[in-house]
Amino acid sequence: MIPELLGQGETWDQLVALADSGQLPHAVLIEGAPGAGKSLAVSLLAARLLARDPSEVDASFVDRMERGQHADLHLVTRPADKVDIPLDSIRELQTTLERTALEGGARVVVIDPSDRLNVQGQNALLKTLEEPGESTFLLLTASRPESLLDTVRSRVRRVRLIALPEDRLASLCPRPEDCPFDLYQRLVALCDGSVGRLRALVSAEAREILERLDEWLAAPPEDCGGLGRALLQGQSGRDEVQGRAMMVLLVLRARLRESLRNALAVDPERPYAAARTDATVGALERVLQAEDDLRLGIPAAQTLDALLLSSLPTGSR
């Protein structure tokens, strides 16, 4: 049931079998695009490792873990208001791991996302990766594994989640009744095989944002300084505004990736391919920076206006 849930095939089946037998490598890095299911994958592996009997792994067991009610599951993640995972989080983890397991079985550490550890945090983690302790397993996730140190990557078993085919995506995230078929097909292509991203993009909110961005990219007004604020209209409270801004960035990133694919799909003999794509790649980098700015507390309207006023590529319009 669990392998079928992710649709990850033989590699995932093997990981589950190793977890059930307690023979999983002591450190596993789950890689994949945002929304690919990395957090779900590590949750399911953690459940298999912590259960005394694999048959115990049901919805209630996983729910208990996700609510932090298993004493031997240790989650290290980035605070909502931080860009990186603090070094102190790794030091606290190492202190915790000096004690024995409280429920008498395995201990599992989940670092999600590990690519948000800075260099100091990664170096501090090396000792734990080398000597995790008896029956201790470290499960890491990363969307950008290249940002991890070579010394970290060399000490983990790396597993990349595969992009799901379109028919599989459709079965996991059916087309909403109010979403036109042509638009749904486009959203499937935009999500790059990620069911998590598709579920976000098919929402009415995301579709409305995409329509407005399409209009702006097709014919940007001379003064587009208020577009960011316009996209945030109707939101109240910091959390609601922040959530809306993050949705705008998710949709914009997907839209820019679509533009990048379109640019690369033109006549391959046409010269200056790099010149046609450099601006889009730069815009994608600015979207990632805008996400960090939001987490650092920079006002959402200011962040979006600055991003949308920047030199977005003509190929995206």
Side-chain angles (χ1 to χ4, degrees):
M1 176 181 175
I2 287 179
E4 178 62 18
L5 177 64
L6 290 177
Q8 292 298 313
E10 186 176 331
T11 299
W12 176 252
D13 294 353
Q14 292 172 352
L15 280 181
V16 171
L18 289 170
D20 286 346
S21 65
Q23 300 302 309
L24 192 74
H26 74 276
V28 176
L29 173 63
I30 304 292
E31 306 173 8
K38 300 182 296 297
S39 295
L40 176 59
V42 296
S43 289
L44 295 174
L45 283 177
R48 309 294 286 210
L49 289 165
L50 291 169
R52 303 287 184 90
D53 184 333
S55 64
E56 296 176 3
V57 181
D58 55 14
S60 62
F61 188 89
V62 175
D63 181 62
R64 176 191 168 203
M65 285 190 356
E66 291 180 345
R67 285 186 281 114
Q69 294 180 348
H70 196 295
D72 294 319
L73 175 64
H74 309 288
L75 176 62
V76 178
T77 190
R78 172 182 54 194
D81 60 343
K82 302 290 185 182
V83 171
D84 294 326
I85 296 174
L87 173 60
D88 286 347
S89 295
I90 299 300
R91 290 174 172 162
E92 290 171 10
L93 169 68
Q94 291 168 333
T95 299
T96 299
L97 292 180
E98 291 174 357
R99 300 189 286 269
T100 58
L102 295 176
E103 298 197 21
R107 296 184 300 181
V108 176
V109 175
V110 172
I111 304 179
D112 182 15
S114 67
D115 47 357
R116 283 299 184 172
L117 285 167
N118 59 26
V119 172
Q120 292 80 8
Q122 292 182 51
N123 280 322
L125 183 63
L126 287 176
K127 179 180 179 182
T128 304
L129 288 173
E130 292 168 351
E131 301 176 7
E134 186 177 359
S135 298
T136 300
F137 301 90
L138 286 83
L139 306 177
L140 291 70
T141 72
S143 297
R144 305 178 78 180
E146 69 278 2
S147 68
L148 294 172
L149 298 173
D150 290 342
T151 47
V152 171
R153 293 198 300 265
S154 67
R155 287 166 172 78
V156 299
R157 162 83 177 272
R158 299 177 65 179
V159 178
R160 186 162 190 86
L161 297 185
I162 61 175
L164 299 180
E166 292 189 4
D167 59 343
R168 180 65 177 150
L169 286 172
S171 69
L172 292 170
C173 182
R175 178 176 66 89
E177 291 184 2
D178 65 339
C179 180
F181 182 72
D182 289 348
L183 175 58
Y184 178 73
Q185 286 188 310
R186 181 188 178 196
L187 295 175
V188 169
L190 282 174
C191 76
D192 294 324
S194 163
V195 66
R197 191 176 299 166
L198 179 58
R199 285 172 175 160
L201 290 175
V202 298
S203 69
E205 179 185 19
R207 284 185 275 134
E208 179 256 330
I209 292 171
L210 178 61
E211 180 180 4
R212 297 178 71 175
L213 287 174
D214 277 347
E215 292 173 354
W216 180 77
L217 290 168
E222 300 233 349
D223 180 12
C224 55
L227 180 61
R229 287 173 173 78
L231 287 168
L232 296 175
Q233 279 183 356
Q235 313 302 306
S236 60
R238 184 181 182 280
D239 290 345
E240 193 172 314
V241 170
Q242 183 97 343
R244 172 76 172 190
M246 283 294 189
M247 179 64 78
V248 171
L249 295 180
L250 183 148
V251 175
L252 179 58
R253 185 169 64 240
R255 179 65 174 78
L256 289 169
R257 287 171 65 87
E258 178 186 49
S259 299
L260 186 60
R261 285 194 298 271
N262 291 341
L264 293 173
V266 299
D267 184 356
E269 296 183 3
R270 182 179 172 186
Y272 310 119
R276 297 196 307 275
T277 59
D278 281 352
T280 307
V281 172
L284 282 166
E285 289 294 333
R286 288 193 290 276
V287 172
L288 294 174
Q289 181 60 55
E291 292 177 354
D292 286 346
D293 290 344
L294 287 176
R295 293 188 182 96
L296 288 171
I298 296 176
Q302 177 183 335
T303 299
L304 292 183
D305 278 344
L307 173 65
L308 295 169
L309 277 169
S310 62
S311 54
L312 287 178
T314 56
S316 69
R317 298 179 177 177

